[in-house]
Amino acid sequence: MIEGILIGLTTAITPFNLMMVVAGCLIGTLIGMLPGLGPMSIIAIMIPVAIGIGDPTSALILLSGVYYGAIFGGSTSSILLNAPGVAGTVATAFDGYPLARKGQAGKALTIAAIASFAGGTIGAVLLMIFAPALSTVALLFHSAEYFALMVVGLSAIAAFAGTGQVAKALMMTILGLMLGTVGEGALSNTPRFTFGMMELQSGFSFITLAMAMFALPEALFLVMNPNRAATGDGGKISGLRISRAEARSIAPVIGRQSIQGFFIGVLPGAGATIASFLGYAVERNIAKGAEQEEFGKGSLKGIAAPESANNAACTGSFVPLLTLGIPGSGTTAILLGALLALNVTPGPRLMVDEPGVFWTVIISMYLGNLVLLVLNLPLIPYIAKILTIPRTFLIPFILFFTLMGSYLGQNNSTELFILVGFGVIATFLRFADYPLAPLLIGFILGVMLENNFARAMQLYRGFDFVLERPMTLGLLVLAVLLVVLPSFRSYRARKRAEGVADGD
Amino acid sequence: MTLDRWIALAFITLCCIYGYAAFFTMDDQLPPILRRNPVWPSTFPKILTVLGLIAGFVILFGSKRAAGDAKKDGAIDLTRLGNYHVGQALALIALMVAYAFTLRPFGFVGATISFLLIGSLVLGERRFHIMIPVAAIAAVSIWYLVQEVLGIFLRPWPAMFM
């Protein structure tokens, strides 16, 4: 591990890579503050730039910086305008916005910055400790286990989708898998499901799908519902200091939620959003008396808990990404696509084949969090002013960058029509409260899933691999349980609710 | 029937089309040598078809949404669609399609300036002395970044002017 850390340090602290960290954090923060654009959208937009760099290490450092910056940027808009830039910072608005309305926006932003820094840093430490261990275990996996593990990952996405959302998440996952089968596959050079259209010969573009699923619907929602991004006075920031008593009060909260958030982030499908809400709920429940009453009205703990949890979860989601090649969240799913585009194959061999990439990314996480803290605190008053841009200018630019992200990847106008079409479909899906992250994850994992499935079938001449390899069977059983148990709990909860209603 | 069930029904229809292609058209083109494999290119799609139909029917015929599932803050209420700027959204969608059509004939800079200007107009902006410079600076800046910095060809103007 020490050798790896040294490798990471020598690479991460080169002038160019340091510039990438700073640039990524700044870009992520600025764009992340814009209501409607989350880290998935921002990273998707930045992928063409990252690919243009050429060096996978530098590209990933840039994207990681954008990732952390976007999370913090979303927190800023959550606090100042009650308009979360990302889903993972919705919980921050519960207490951040009320505190800002009390005239303590500076304090709220400061606590958010400190909690984010602590959560991200603790997460990086845990990542450094657990990633190699997971990698060692992962070497025991073969194609059959990889197939089963990916099934578990996709099932976990459905399991954590929320009460009553399991079926919808599963449907979206399957839709993503279907989209992944379009075009020429690894099994055969015969194009599948193209229906004679040459434009589909290569399948759907990952970037186009990412843009259509996240950036475009958000922008359209902003257009239709102006209140979603209410304007406000974002220029007046004061009171950045926090007292010693306040620091002692939030320190245990940050410690607890950083650890909890990290392990939630490690679970495929459970991302920053779930971690932040869970962190908020836990701290609210264990608070006593007046402290509990303060939640929802400007509690400092209510800001620190989700902020540390979501940043730690973001770091935790890198564990399955880097060591197993399985995205732990929607954002890491996009990062996975970027890595593949840069000819880097994440997985247990990453540490062995390309240790520079692996350890440099980890070290850059420390640097990224430090950069965020050092740069953003003094820049907060000025960063907030970007939120004063009228929506009549802001929204066209969001749409423009969405279109460019797709066009630059393919240099084909047809891709734009596909983008708009998928974007409209995604908007309807969001109207009906269908989760879209499972669709993208299914799309990305689909190719790998099918390849491992086919390889296992060929090796064992059929489905015998399920019974002949105990780990595979165990993982598949776990996958079934992950889908069935939440559904059963949801069903039982509804029955109980109906029973109570009848009783009333 | 609620929107989510309509979508489930549409998904079932998609699965039927997808499944028809997988079950009845794909294997005909398979070379004889590949038919000896335990897995064919259509195997995975067939599995997905079955799973998709199951998921779709679960949603289509599943229990109704609980009364406690309130709308999220800031979400669109479909029962009051008239209260939202649907027309503006549709206009912007049409504008994006037009942008795709004009990107090559007008060139990147021309098409982008037009897109940003018309987009702001659709949303109600009328300050041309701000709109035009902002759009022009943005279009030229992005073109320079993409073509000159990243090395990706992006024709700035119509071919007749180059």
Side-chain angles (χ1 to χ4, degrees):
Chain A
M1 184 182 294
I2 298 298
E3 182 179 351
I5 294 174
L6 291 178
I7 293 175
L9 271 176
T10 56
T11 307
I13 63 174
T14 59
F16 183 75
N17 284 339
L18 284 177
M19 184 175 66
M20 289 294 102
V21 169
V22 175
C25 290
L26 282 179
I27 293 171
T29 301
L30 290 175
I31 303 180
M33 289 179 63
L34 306 180
L37 280 178
M40 286 182 279
S41 311
I42 298 167
I43 292 178
I45 291 172
M46 291 298 296
I47 281 177
V49 177
I51 293 176
I53 293 174
D55 178 14
T57 304
S58 300
L60 199 55
I61 288 174
L62 173 67
L63 294 177
S64 297
V66 171
Y67 190 13
Y68 286 111
I71 293 293
F72 181 77
S75 301
T76 304
S77 58
S78 294
I79 292 169
L80 293 179
L81 303 179
N82 197 26
V86 296
T89 62
V90 169
T92 304
F94 294 164
D95 284 278
Y97 184 65
L99 191 62
R101 288 178 64 89
K102 292 180 179 179
Q104 301 183 57
K107 179 173 291 185
L109 290 168
T110 302
I111 291 175
I114 293 173
S116 296
F117 168 76
T121 304
I122 293 173
V125 172
L126 295 174
L127 173 64
M128 192 165 58
I129 295 172
F130 284 99
L134 274 175
S135 177
T136 302
V137 173
L139 287 177
L140 302 175
F141 283 55
H142 295 165
S143 57
E145 282 76 32
Y146 271 119
F147 162 74
L149 189 60
M150 290 177 188
V151 173
V152 171
L154 294 176
S155 301
I157 293 167
F160 284 102
T163 304
Q165 295 287 321
V166 175
K168 289 182 176 179
L170 271 181
M171 191 172 111
M172 290 295 100
T173 302
I174 295 168
L175 180 58
L177 292 170
M178 288 180 172
L179 294 177
T181 61
V182 175
E184 295 180 357
L187 291 176
S188 168
N189 59 5
T190 304
R192 299 183 294 180
F193 306 106
T194 58
F195 302 104
M197 297 173 61
M198 288 299 296
E199 291 81 1
L200 299 181
Q201 193 83 5
S202 301
F204 293 113
S205 163
F206 154 77
I207 295 176
T208 298
L209 203 61
M211 293 293 186
M213 292 297 121
F214 299 108
L216 198 52
E218 279 292 337
L220 293 178
F221 271 55
L222 282 175
V223 172
M224 286 188 281
N225 189 10
N227 293 331
R228 186 184 178 93
T231 57
D233 187 1
K236 298 180 179 178
I237 306 293
S238 61
L240 295 176
R241 291 183 172 276
I242 59 174
S243 68
R244 189 169 299 181
E246 290 169 340
R248 282 199 298 266
S249 172
I250 65 175
V253 173
I254 292 175
R256 281 194 293 269
Q257 296 312 322
S258 295
I259 296 174
Q260 178 177 280
F262 175 82
F263 286 109
I264 291 175
V266 170
L267 301 176
T273 305
I274 296 176
S276 63
F277 275 103
L278 192 57
Y280 184 87
V282 167
E283 293 303 322
R284 180 172 186 170
N285 288 332
I286 66 177
K288 299 289 179 21
E291 282 189 342
Q292 190 175 70
E293 292 296 325
E294 192 65 18
F295 274 79
K297 302 174 183 176
S299 168
L300 302 186
K301 291 186 175 181
I303 301 171
E307 280 302 303
S308 52
N310 68 29
N311 276 265
C314 292
T315 309
S317 65
F318 276 86
V319 172
L321 173 66
L322 294 177
T323 62
L324 303 176
I326 297 176
S329 65
T331 307
T332 49
I334 299 178
L335 285 174
L336 175 61
L339 283 172
L340 296 176
L342 291 163
N343 294 318
V344 174
T345 305
R349 297 297 304 176
L350 183 63
M351 287 182 66
V352 179
D353 296 337
E354 300 199 48
V357 173
F358 182 86
W359 289 106
T360 302
V361 168
I362 293 181
I363 297 300
S364 71
M365 290 177 182
Y366 293 105
L367 297 178
N369 281 284
L370 187 62
V371 166
L372 280 175
L373 188 66
V374 172
L375 292 185
N376 286 328
L377 282 179
L379 291 178
I380 281 172
Y382 307 101
I383 290 175
K385 286 191 179 298
I386 199 171
L387 295 174
T388 60
I389 295 175
R391 60 187 287 275
T392 52
F393 290 101
L394 186 66
I395 293 173
F397 271 89
I398 293 175
L399 295 176
F400 165 66
F401 282 118
T402 301
L403 293 166
M404 275 300 99
S406 177
Y407 183 76
L408 294 179
Q410 303 295 319
N411 208 12
N412 185 347
S413 295
T414 304
E415 203 67 24
L416 299 182
F417 297 118
I418 295 175
L419 167 68
V420 175
F422 275 135
V424 172
I425 293 172
T427 304
F428 277 101
L429 291 173
R430 287 194 58 173
F431 276 144
D433 205 23
Y434 279 85
L436 296 177
L439 190 155
L440 189 66
I441 295 176
F443 175 77
I444 294 176
L445 285 183
V447 175
M448 289 188 286
L449 180 71
E450 184 177 9
N451 288 342
N452 281 289
F453 170 72
R455 193 175 301 117
M457 289 276 284
Q458 289 173 352
L459 287 173
Y460 292 89
R461 305 302 299 172
F463 285 94
D464 292 343
F465 68 91
V466 175
L467 297 177
E468 290 187 18
R469 300 190 67 87
M471 189 177 292
T472 300
L473 179 60
L475 287 171
L476 291 177
V477 170
L478 175 62
V480 173
L481 292 177
L482 282 172
V483 173
V484 172
L485 288 182
S487 301
F488 178 75
R489 280 200 295 265
S490 174
Y491 174 81
R492 189 172 60 180
R494 282 199 298 269
K495 286 300 182 182
R496 183 178 296 122
E498 290 175 5
V500 170
D502 292 341
D504 292 339
Chain B
M1 195 158 73
T2 57
L3 180 60
D4 54 346
R5 296 184 185 215
W6 278 110
I7 291 176
L9 184 61
F11 180 72
I12 291 170
T13 304
L14 175 66
C15 286
C16 291
I17 298 172
Y18 184 88
Y20 175 83
F23 280 94
F24 301 110
T25 67
M26 192 174 296
D27 296 334
D28 294 341
Q29 307 169 19
L30 197 64
I33 189 67
L34 294 181
R35 292 174 182 266
R36 299 173 59 185
N37 283 344
V39 58
W40 293 4
S42 63
T43 301
F44 193 59
K46 289 173 181 174
I47 295 174
L48 292 182
T49 299
V50 175
L51 293 177
L53 289 173
I54 293 173
F57 280 120
V58 165
I59 296 174
L60 186 61
F61 299 114
S63 301
K64 292 184 178 180
R65 180 179 294 186
D69 293 339
K71 279 290 184 180
K72 298 175 183 177
D73 185 25
I76 302 293
D77 185 356
L78 292 181
T79 61
R80 301 177 180 176
L81 209 55
N83 295 342
Y84 303 105
H85 300 166
V86 179
Q88 287 184 349
L90 294 176
L92 288 176
I93 291 174
L95 183 61
M96 286 189 282
V97 174
Y99 182 75
F101 276 115
T102 60
L103 196 52
R104 287 187 179 275
F106 289 3
F108 175 80
V109 173
T112 301
I113 292 176
S114 302
F115 176 84
L116 294 175
L117 284 177
I118 298 174
S120 293
L121 285 172
V122 166
L123 294 173
E125 187 61 57
R126 294 295 182 267
R127 293 177 288 179
F128 288 92
H129 62 285
I130 298 178
M131 292 163 56
I132 295 176
V134 168
I137 291 172
V140 174
S141 299
I142 295 296
W143 171 83
Y144 179 83
L145 174 67
V146 171
Q147 177 154 318
E148 303 300 330
V149 176
L150 298 180
I152 301 174
F153 174 73
L154 206 59
R155 182 187 297 158
W157 307 107
M160 66 182 70
F161 295 133
M162 300 180 67

